[in-house]
């Protein structure tokens, strides 16, 4: 149990550090091998039984933070007031002495009150003489280093390997000079009563705790998790980072820094570096005497954590002290600058401090603003950045999308999951919710991507998997971040205390009812919206996020009412299955990917009978799904185009064959663009030689006639349904009805038209006006002659678009250019959609 070097060993170590040619850097960048040896001892110590003879300051038990701990940061003067368990008060002042290149630590002991002294000891005598029992720590709070030159009157204690110093009798103060080359480090101390042979520890701390005074670093704060810039001077590039991580069950946490050829580890004393469940530290950079330089993308500083806890894994703990873990709130991940030495495995990722500094400098200023899309007709395309271009990066995708936007009118792109992925590369197994996978680029690249898309009128959405992480399972653990930092706080626990696996291989289910999980995921999405300008999020739904262990989803409720992420339609979407569609919790805010739409289109255009009611509901915005407090604005009509089954040889020698024409796919595409609600399909649809040109013409028509595709609650009332065979209202309940349907979409009026029940054959419920649109859907395998409603005097039906044949090379812009006019009937080809507009009749 006594695994700490003796004071003589640490004395020689300090001497070696001091006499190194580059003393400051040598002391700051502890070698990886020494870290490995230190933590090999820590693992052995945590797995063995504690010895009752173990010195108090070697105890591995966790400590609580006293409320009086000062958070002054890393200024030249550090002042704090400390309280002990025996009612003593210590005023500590730390200053820098430039003349001697040292830190001056002055501790002043205040006398206890006489009343408390009598209560505690039953006497009114003066205070006993106490000594300052201290040592220096850096990579481990359980290993104290001694100064080479003791303060005047100081002594080494052979039993503990620490230093002791008496307080001056007249001033009640003790003064210690610590060379600057020792920093960054901490001066840990307690008070020692030689008459009682007892230690006076921090008030509120656990047995074995010690006061800690930072030297060359700061205590930090718990107000914001992750790495943030607390101070920054643009001229001198000098400042400080506050780094904080939440770990409720960890008993020890160390910060690991890596820059250039150096690796340094800083142990966080829980008395000064822990507030509640948050461990924190402030690290300066760029200043004279600071170990770290101001990080840049070309000369970065990386950081991670090493956490210790219950080695038996009780209560869901999954600590592995040999592993260095990246910050779950790191906004950018990079590969380590150098390999770790055994037994520390080299992690795949560490957090980037250059990205945190860049965000402080340019993040808020360059984040593009959201365009208001409450009244917009959504035409969105799914984009998988990894396969969309040959490079598979955000920069390449932006250029390709700009080229497609110049040909097709769409106003949103939904990016497939970009978050950092597991080692297997699965999109549904993220390991971070703040950082995107480095193979796609950085968050700066995403910010530029959003800026370029907004410039051409396109919103950027992100698809996110928030139900699990790809850090392995209990059977095959692959700890990289959350699992090793505090698994019990973030993951779902089974009845036996094991972590619940998710439905995806090598993943563990997150707990959507846990406060730390809710805060982590909410803050992650908020950061993408605020700093990168992402407009909406499509959350991949699953039983975990919708129900969770409590049968409800506090996470979705939090997202729905968040001032940035929710509070309006078209900001959040879920992706339920066809049978769950409409049953998702929404609070009247969250929309859904309408998974009923594509199957309904497939059944209709495959010629199935009895599909009229289902077809009309999908085209009208699915009022059976989005009802009550929701309407068509909350639905995304997701169209899945089947892969071509046959190909046509290319007429150009050496070129690959082209997909054969599929009339059902063409008709389904036309139906999607003539339905209420948003339109969502794969961006590769535009690359199909048959579907691409039609999609461009349909998108242009929908943009031009967005007034008839309103997606509010009254949209369904502006449609008149017609049976093309009888000219009357369709027989919705006829199971043998042929898949042929027509409707008139009326141009909205300034005031709603009163409903009537006197409609007859081919007579809409309201009079026809210029601008009304007649659409015929033929899912049968034969042509159908459709009778058109009689136009009013001076008007005529004209063809706007037909999905049965390639669209015209240049679509009509005004009714005067529409050369083909229809009088009373029109023959709709098999498996086709025809769109006609009511225009003024030219002389």
């Amino acid at each position: 149990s006594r695994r700490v070097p003796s004071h003589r060993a640490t004395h020689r170590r300090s001497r070696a550090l001091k006499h190194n040619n580059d003393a400051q850097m040598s002391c700051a960048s502890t070698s990886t091998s020494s870290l490995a040896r230190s933590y090999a001892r820590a693992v052995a110590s945590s797995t063995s039984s504690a010895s009752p003879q173990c010195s108090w300051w070697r105890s591995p038990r966790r400590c609580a933070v006293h409320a009086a701990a000062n958070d002054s940061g890393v200024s030249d003067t550090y002042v704090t007031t400390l309280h002990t368990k025996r009612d003593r008060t210590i005023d500590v002042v730390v200053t820098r002495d430039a003349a001697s290149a040292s830190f001056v630590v002055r501790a002043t002991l205040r006398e206890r009150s006489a009343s408390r002294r009598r209560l505690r000891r039953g006497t009114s005598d003066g205070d006993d003489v106490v000594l300052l029992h201290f040592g220096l720590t850096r990579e481990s709070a359980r290993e104290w280093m001694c100064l080479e030159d003791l303060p005047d009157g100081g002594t080494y204690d052979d039993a503990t390997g620490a230093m002791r110093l008496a307080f001056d009798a007249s001033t009640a103060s003790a003064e210690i000079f610590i060379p600057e080359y020792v920093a960054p480090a901490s001066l840990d101390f307690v008070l020692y009563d030689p008459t009682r042979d007892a230690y006076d520890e921090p008030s509120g701390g656990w047995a074995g705790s010690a006061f800690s005074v930072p030297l060359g670093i700061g205590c930090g704060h718990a107000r914001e998790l992750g790495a943030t810039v607390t101070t920054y001077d643009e001229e001198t590039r000098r400042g400080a980072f506050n780094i904080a991580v939440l770990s409720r069950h960890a008993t020890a946490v160390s910060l690991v820094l890596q820059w250039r050829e150096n690796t340094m580890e800083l142990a966080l004393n829980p008395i000064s570096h822990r507030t509640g469940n948050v461990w924190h530290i402030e690290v300066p950079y760029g200043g004279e005497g600071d170990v770290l330089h101001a990080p840049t993308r070309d000369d970065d500083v990386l950081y991670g954590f090493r956490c210790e806890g219950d080695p038996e894994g009780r209560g869901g703990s999954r600590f592995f002290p040999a592993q260095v873990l990246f910050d779950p709130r790191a906004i950018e991940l990079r590969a380590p600058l150098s390999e770790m030495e055994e037994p520390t495995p080299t992690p795949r990722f560490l957090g980037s401090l250059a990205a945190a500094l860049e965000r402080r400098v340019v993040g808020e200023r360059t984040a593009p603003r959201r365009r208001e899309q409450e009244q917009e007709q959504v035409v969105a395309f799914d984009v998988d950045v990894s396969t969309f271009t040959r490079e598979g990066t955000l920069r390449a995708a932006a250029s390709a999308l700009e080229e497609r936007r110049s040909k097709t009118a769409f106003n949103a792109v939904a990016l497939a999951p970009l978050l950092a992925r597991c080692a297997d590369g699965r999109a549904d197994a993220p390991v971070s919710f703040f950082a995107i996978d480095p193979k796609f680029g950085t968050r700066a690249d995403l910010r530029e991507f959003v800026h370029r898309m907004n410039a051409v009128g396109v919103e950027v959405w992100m698809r996110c998997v928030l139900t699990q992480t790809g850090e392995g399972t209990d059977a095959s653990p692959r700890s990289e971040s959350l699992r090793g930092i505090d698994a019990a706080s973030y993951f779902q626990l089974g009845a036996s205390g094991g972590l619940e696996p998710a439905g995806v291989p090598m993943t563990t289910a997150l707990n959507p009812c846990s406060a730390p999980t809710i805060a982590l995921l909410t803050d992650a999405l908020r950061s993408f919206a605020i700093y990168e300008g992402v407009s909406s999020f499509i959350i991949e739904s699953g039983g975990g996020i919708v129900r969770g262990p409590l049968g409800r989803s506090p996470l979705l409720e939090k997202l729905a009412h968040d001032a940035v992420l929710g509070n309006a339609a078209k900001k959040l979407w879920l992706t339920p299955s066809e049978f769950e569609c409409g049953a998702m919790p929404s609070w009247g805010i969250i929309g859904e990917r309408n998974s009923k739409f594509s199957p309904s289109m497939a059944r209709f255009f495959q010629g199935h009978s009895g599909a009229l009611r289902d077809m009309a509901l999908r085209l009208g915005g699915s009022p059976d799904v989005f009802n009550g407090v929701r309407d068509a604005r909350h639905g995304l009509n997701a169209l899945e185009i089947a892969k071509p089954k046959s190909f046509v040889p290319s007429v150009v020698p050496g070129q690959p064959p082209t997909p054969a024409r599929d009339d059902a796919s063409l008709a389904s595409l036309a139906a999607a663009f003539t339905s209420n609600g948003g339109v969502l399909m794969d961006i590769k649809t535009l690359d199909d030689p048959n579907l691409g040109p039609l999609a461009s013409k349909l998108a242009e028509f929908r943009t031009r006639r967005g007034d008839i595709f309103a997606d509010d609650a009254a949209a369904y009332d502006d449609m008149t349904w017609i049976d093309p065979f009888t000219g009357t209202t369709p027989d919705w309940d006829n199971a043998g009805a042929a898949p042929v349907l027509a409707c008139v979409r009326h141009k909205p009026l300034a005031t709603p038209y009163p409903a009537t029940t006197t409609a007859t054959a081919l007579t809409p419920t309201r009079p026809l006006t210029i601008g009304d649109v007649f659409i015929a859907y033929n899912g049968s395998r034969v042509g159908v002659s459709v009778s058109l409603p009689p136009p009013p005097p001076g008007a005529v039906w004209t063809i706007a678009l037909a999905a049965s044949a390639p669209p015209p090379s240049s679509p009509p812009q005004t009714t005067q250019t529409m050369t083909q006019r229809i009088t009373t009937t029109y023959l709709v080809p098999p498996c086709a959609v025809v769109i006609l507009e009511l225009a003024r009749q030219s002389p």
Side-chain angles (χ1 to χ4, degrees), residues 661 663 666-671 694 698 801-806 831-835:
R661 177 186 176 87
D663 289 338
L666 291 170
S668 297
L669 185 66
L694 178 62
L698 287 167
L801 208 58
S804 59
C831 199
V833 176
V834 175
I835 306 172

Side-chain angles (χ1 to χ4, degrees), residues 256 261 281 341 563 621 657 734 739 751 774:
V256 179
E261 298 84 16
I281 184 174
E341 293 187 7
N734 184 1
T751 57
F774 179 87

Side-chain angles (χ1 to χ4, degrees), residues 24-57:
Q24 178 177 337
M25 186 59 68
S26 173
C27 185
S29 51
T30 307
S31 67
T32 310
S33 59
S34 67
L35 295 178
R37 289 192 298 272
S38 172
Y39 274 89
R41 292 192 294 268
V43 172
S45 177
S46 62
T47 56
S48 62
S49 59
S51 169
Q53 288 78 28
C54 182
S55 298
W56 66 268
W57 48 272

Side-chain angles (χ1 to χ4, degrees), residues 821-838:
R821 290 168 169 78
I822 310 302
T823 54
T824 58
T825 62
Y826 184 83
L827 181 63
V828 181
C831 199
V833 176
V834 175
I835 306 172
L836 297 93
E837 282 186 287
L838 192 61

Side-chain angles (χ1 to χ4, degrees), residues 604 612-613 615-616 619 721-724 730 732 738-743 775-779:
F604 187 88
L612 298 185
R613 180 183 297 276
M615 182 68 171
L619 295 175
W721 298 100
I722 300 173
D723 184 345
W732 304 116
V740 182
L741 189 63
C743 73
I775 308 176
Y777 304 90
N778 183 10

Side-chain angles (χ1 to χ4, degrees), residues 17-359:
L17 291 174
K18 182 174 182 179
H19 292 283
N20 188 280
N21 291 333
D22 188 358
Q24 178 177 337
M25 186 59 68
S26 173
C27 185
S29 51
T30 307
S31 67
T32 310
S33 59
S34 67
L35 295 178
R37 289 192 298 272
S38 172
Y39 274 89
R41 292 192 294 268
V43 172
S45 177
S46 62
T47 56
S48 62
S49 59
S51 169
Q53 288 78 28
C54 182
S55 298
W56 66 268
W57 48 272
R58 299 177 187 133
S59 172
R61 287 173 290 182
R62 72 179 185 183
C63 308
V65 176
H66 194 274
N70 190 286
D71 188 18
S72 305
V74 291
S75 61
D76 289 338
T77 301
Y78 174 84
V79 180
T80 186
T81 300
L82 307 173
H83 302 270
T84 72
K85 290 183 177 180
R86 298 182 64 82
D87 302 319
R88 294 184 175 97
T89 301
I90 310 167
D91 294 327
V92 178
V93 178
V94 182
T95 58
R96 283 180 183 260
D97 184 5
S100 61
S102 61
F103 295 94
V104 181
V105 181
R106 183 180 180 87
T108 303
L109 182 64
R110 296 185 193 173
E111 293 185 357
R112 293 178 294 173
S113 64
S115 60
R116 286 184 175 271
R117 186 169 59 246
R118 285 193 296 269
L119 287 174
R120 184 174 294 274
R121 300 195 54 194
T123 177
S124 59
D125 296 336
D127 284 339
D128 295 330
V129 175
V130 294
L131 305 177
L132 198 66
H133 183 94
F134 66 98
L136 298 173
T137 63
R138 183 188 298 134
E139 65 185 42
S140 173
R142 295 192 293 271
E143 296 186 12
W144 283 17
M145 299 183 294
C146 295
L147 292 171
E148 182 177 14
D149 299 319
L150 283 174
D152 293 341
T155 60
Y156 289 117
D157 179 60
D158 290 331
T160 61
M163 297 170 284
R164 289 176 178 171
L165 180 64
F167 289 89
D168 183 87
S170 59
T171 63
S173 298
E175 197 168 68
I176 306 172
F177 286 80
I178 302 174
E180 287 187 352
Y181 67 76
V182 173
S186 296
L187 175 70
D188 289 8
F189 71 91
V190 292
L191 299 181
Y192 175 66
D193 185 346
T195 60
R196 290 177 151 227
D197 191 22
Y199 296 97
D200 195 1
E201 302 165 359
S203 174
W206 289 61
S209 57
F211 296 113
S212 182
V213 176
L215 304 173
I217 53 177
C219 294
H221 61 76
R223 293 188 294 272
E224 188 172 359
L225 297 177
T228 55
V229 181
T230 55
T231 58
Y232 179 69
D233 188 324
E234 293 188 9
E235 294 184 1
T236 62
R237 291 185 59 80
R238 178 182 180 182
F241 292 105
N242 185 82
I243 302 175
V245 64
L246 184 145
S247 183
R248 175 185 177 185
H249 298 90
T251 57
V253 174
S254 297
L255 173 69
V256 179
L257 296 171
Q258 200 176 72
W259 74 101
R260 296 169 183 166
E261 298 84 16
N262 307 292
T263 299
M264 178 176 67
E265 186 160 351
L266 299 174
L268 307 186
N269 187 309
I271 289 295
S272 56
H273 295 285
R274 182 172 181 176
T275 303
N277 297 326
V278 178
W279 302 73
H280 43 77
I281 184 174
E282 191 173 53
V283 183
Y285 64 89
E288 183 179 357
D290 292 337
V291 172
L292 298 183
H293 60 279
T296 63
R297 291 198 171 274
D298 296 329
D299 193 6
D300 206 347
V301 176
L302 307 184
Y303 75 103
F305 299 102
R306 197 190 297 269
C307 300
E308 296 181 45
D310 184 1
E312 302 298 328
R314 289 166 293 206
S317 299
R318 296 296 184 271
F319 293 105
F320 181 50
Q323 179 72 55
V324 177
L325 310 160
F326 68 78
D327 183 3
R329 291 175 179 260
I331 60 176
E332 187 173 319
L333 300 178
R334 297 188 60 181
L337 301 178
S338 59
E339 293 187 358
M340 305 285 181
E341 293 187 7
E342 294 295 339
T344 299
T346 302
R348 282 200 309 141
F349 297 127
L350 290 174
S352 168
L353 289 180
L357 181 58
E358 181 182 81
R359 166 156 299 179

Side-chain angles (χ1 to χ4, degrees), residues 87 194 315 342 418 427 443 478 493 510 522 653 659 714 827:
D87 302 319
E342 294 295 339
L418 295 174
R443 287 189 62 160
R478 296 191 300 198
L493 302 181
L510 288 169
T522 303
L827 181 63

